[in-house]
């Protein structure tokens, strides 16, 4: 018997695995958080399953999402990425990813990127208890504040809706429905 899941992930095995093992699990690693923020930016206007299906191609094209490498890129790398059918080929998003690598490094000079992000939820995952998808917001005051601070530090493709989706995915908020098998598991992970 299949576990009860949040309805947004449907039945696609790639999507259900993502839901069961990643979405809502607190992430503290700065580089991993940066990768997820970049992928959420690429997702703007698309379904998340599209990005999941292309994630390994993104990782190859962006050399493992190493900000130090990507920050040095210029027009030649933009042209290479625009020709890569394995990723989302959008000049603005590609250029934003390169600029966001530079912004990440600038933040890291002052504080850990993880701390920069997690302070918006007081360093602990917010434990929501939504019963239906209709209750789940698309943005919150914390997401708006995080978006504003990211933009002030040079990040792009990080509006409040993208930022809230990022917060959900990285476990900064637990938005698994209370009926979902993953809700309590993510809540326990937040305690450690």
């Amino acid at each position: 018997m299949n576990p009860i899941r949040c309805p947004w992930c449907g039945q696609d095995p790639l999507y259900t695995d993502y839901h069961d093992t990643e979405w809502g699990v607190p992430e503290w690693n700065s580089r991993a958080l940066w990768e997820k923020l970049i992928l959420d930016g690429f997702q703007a206007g698309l379904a998340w399953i599209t990005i999941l299906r292309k994630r390994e191609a993104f990782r190859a094209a962006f050399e493992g999402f190493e900000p130090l490498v990507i920050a040095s890129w210029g027009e030649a790398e933009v042209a290479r990425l625009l020709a890569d059918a394995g990723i989302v080929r959008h000049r603005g998003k590609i250029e934003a990813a390169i600029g966001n690598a530079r912004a990440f490094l600038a933040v890291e000079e002052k504080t850990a990127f993880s701390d920069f992000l997690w302070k918006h939820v007081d360093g602990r995952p917010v434990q929501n208890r939504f019963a239906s998808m209709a209750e789940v917001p698309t943005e919150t005051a914390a997401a708006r504040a995080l978006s504003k601070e990211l933009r002030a530090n040079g990040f792009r493709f990080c509006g409040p809706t993208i930022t809230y989706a990022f917060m959900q995915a990285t476990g900064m908020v637990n938005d698994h429905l209370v009926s979902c098998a993953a809700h309590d598991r993510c809540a326990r992970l937040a305690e450690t």
Side-chain angles (χ1 to χ4, degrees):
M1 185 170 146
N2 288 333
I4 296 173
R5 294 183 175 99
C6 299
W8 57 259
C9 67
Q11 297 298 315
D12 184 300
L14 182 64
Y15 224 2
T16 57
D17 182 62
Y18 172 74
H19 170 275
D20 293 352
T21 62
E22 288 183 61
W23 195 80
V25 173
E27 177 61 68
W28 303 96
N29 179 277
S30 289
R31 203 234 30 98
L33 287 162
W34 182 78
E35 174 182 336
K36 183 67 175 75
L37 184 63
I38 297 307
L39 290 174
D40 273 328
F42 272 98
Q43 185 260 330
L46 304 170
W48 179 245
I49 189 69
T50 301
I51 303 303
L52 277 181
R53 290 179 178 140
K54 293 176 175 282
R55 183 161 57 170
E56 291 310 313
F58 268 108
R59 286 177 173 158
F62 281 87
E63 297 188 32
F65 284 99
E66 288 301 329
L68 194 58
V69 172
I70 297 167
S72 69
W73 288 358
E75 187 54 40
E77 289 81 10
V78 171
R80 174 182 61 81
L81 292 167
L82 285 170
D84 188 337
I87 68 167
V88 173
R89 296 180 290 180
H90 183 285
R91 177 177 284 278
K93 292 176 181 181
I94 291 168
E95 289 174 345
I98 295 168
N100 289 351
R102 296 174 186 140
F104 170 88
L105 294 174
V107 167
E108 284 270 301
E109 286 181 10
K110 297 178 269 186
T111 188
F113 189 62
S114 178
D115 294 343
F116 173 85
L117 298 171
W118 277 90
K119 72 181 179 189
H120 288 275
V121 291
D122 296 327
R124 294 182 18 222
V126 174
Q127 298 300 314
N128 290 319
R129 299 196 52 78
F130 298 125
S132 73
M133 292 303 298
E135 295 175 63
V136 180
T138 57
E139 64 179 68
T140 62
R144 288 187 291 275
L146 176 55
S147 172
K148 183 177 180 179
E149 187 170 14
L150 284 164
R151 288 191 316 260
N153 280 273
F155 288 85
R156 292 174 33 213
F157 280 92
C158 58
T161 301
I162 290 171
T163 304
Y164 193 67
F166 166 80
M167 293 171 77
Q168 293 171 309
T170 59
M172 293 174 74
V173 296
N174 181 358
D175 274 358
H176 285 286
L177 299 182
V178 292
S179 59
C180 175
H183 183 276
D184 289 346
R185 180 177 47 81
C186 287
R188 284 190 302 275
L189 288 171
E191 294 171 2
T192 59

